[in-house]
């Protein structure tokens, strides 16, 4: 008798609020995130609208096998990390903040595998008590990490600068599975904000060559829990071995949780 196929993991993907010119609000997730979870992580994507306090976090986590925190044009509201007020024109999404920050804390408490990119990487830090730089390009000695909007879209997600991966860390192990390890790797760069003070629970996994924190892991996490400042999910970046290894490792962790759920081995 053929053994039943292992269940595909159900992976929640955080969405953003978008208000049209007519005032109608919609919830948005870029196709690149959905396709990366489906193809590179081998999961079933589930879009999570930013409902804030109306989000039923515990029942949601009980049903999920992984949580993917996406990037966004918006930024975390500075009051969440005691930062100075955002400048005029900086995009905000308070409904997303009110959804993702408590969701991150609950997901980690329940051992849910978690992968965060760009805004999600920053949300992970803020949710655990860290702070952010709001304008990295204005810091002494830092390059301009913002998106180069004069380039074609695919080129914007191409390699922009090196990062240095710390030896002995989670990212070095994942990169080792991709044929690398510790040392330099090229990544893309499409952000203005970045981690300033890392939360105590986070370990720094990589920095850019100008000292910006580019990757972190959660020290006491029961499962995969990693944040990266760059965008490994775009088709141009998914060709890189490290990007494939990141989504592969996240997908494996989510698949393990799905298998444990199917076998009745998940703790209540």
């Amino acid at each position: 008798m053929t053994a039943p196929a292992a269940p595909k993991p159900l992976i929640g993907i955080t969405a953003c609020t978008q208000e049209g010119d007519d005032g109608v609000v919609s919830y948005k997730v870029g196709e690149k995130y959905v396709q990366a979870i489906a193809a590179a992580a081998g999961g079933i994507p589930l879009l999570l609208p930013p409902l804030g306090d109306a989000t039923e976090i515990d029942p949601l986590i009980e049903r999920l096998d992984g949580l993917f925190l996406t990037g966004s044009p918006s930024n975390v509201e500075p009051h969440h990390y005691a930062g100075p007020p955002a400048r005029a024109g900086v995009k905000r999404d308070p409904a997303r903040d009110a959804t993702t920050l408590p969701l991150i804390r609950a997901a980690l408490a329940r051992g849910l595998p978690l992968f965060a990119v760009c805004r999600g990487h920053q949300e992970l830090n803020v949710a655990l008590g860290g702070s952010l730089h709001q304008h990295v390009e204005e810091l002494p000695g830092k390059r301009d990490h913002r998106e180069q909007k004069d380039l074609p879209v695919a080129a914007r997600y191409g390699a922009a600068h090196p990062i240095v991966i710390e030896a002995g860390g989670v990212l070095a192990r994942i990169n080792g599975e991709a044929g690398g390890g510790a040392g330099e790797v090229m990544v893309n760069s499409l952000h203005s904000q970045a981690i300033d003070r890392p939360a105590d629970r986070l370990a720094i996994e990589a920095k850019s060559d100008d000292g910006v924190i580019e990757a972190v892991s959660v020290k006491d996490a029961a499962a995969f829990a990693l944040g990266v400042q760059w965008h490994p999910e775009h088709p141009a970046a998914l060709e890189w071995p490290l990007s494939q290894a990141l989504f592969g490792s996240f997908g494996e962790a989510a698949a393990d949780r799905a298998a444990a759920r199917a076998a009745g081995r998940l703790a209540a």
Side-chain angles (χ1 to χ4, degrees), residues 17-27:
T17 309
Q18 180 173 284
E19 184 173 348
D21 294 338
D22 56 1
V24 175
V25 172
S26 59
Y27 299 132

Side-chain angles (χ1 to χ4, degrees), residues 79-241:
H79 69 80
H80 289 294
Y81 52 89
R87 296 176 186 170
V90 172
K91 293 184 178 179
R92 53 196 293 272
D93 190 343
R96 173 163 169 160
D97 296 343
T99 304
T100 56
L101 299 181
L103 184 58
I104 289 166
R105 292 187 283 264
L108 292 173
R110 296 289 293 274
L112 187 69
L114 181 153
F115 185 27
V117 304
C118 202
R119 188 198 212 268
H121 165 79
Q122 296 163 15
E123 289 170 331
L124 174 61
N125 185 51
V126 171
L128 298 182
S131 65
L132 303 178
H133 292 298
Q134 295 186 39
H135 300 277
V136 173
E137 66 279 359
E138 297 177 3
L139 298 176
K142 307 303 182 192
R143 67 163 55 84
D144 191 339
H145 285 255
R146 292 175 295 183
E147 179 179 1
Q148 293 182 270
K149 294 187 177 180
D150 58 326
L151 295 177
V153 173
R156 300 176 201 176
Y157 288 87
H161 65 73
I163 62 169
V164 179
I165 298 175
E166 297 287 335
V170 175
L171 189 60
R173 175 183 58 76
I174 293 171
N175 194 41
E177 295 169 359
E184 284 195 357
V185 175
M186 294 296 292
V187 299
N188 51 36
S189 188
L190 298 94
H191 63 101
S192 178
Q193 303 206 343
I195 290 177
D196 176 9
R197 177 179 50 79
D200 291 342
R201 290 178 64 186
L202 296 182
I204 297 173
E205 297 284 342
K207 291 183 178 181
S208 61
D209 57 341
D210 60 347
V212 172
I213 296 173
E214 291 277 348
V216 294
S217 62
V218 180
K219 298 175 185 176
D220 56 356
F224 184 104
L226 189 72
V228 300
Q229 183 57 72
W230 69 95
H231 284 268
E233 81 290 338
H234 190 275
L238 263 178
E239 297 178 1
W240 304 339

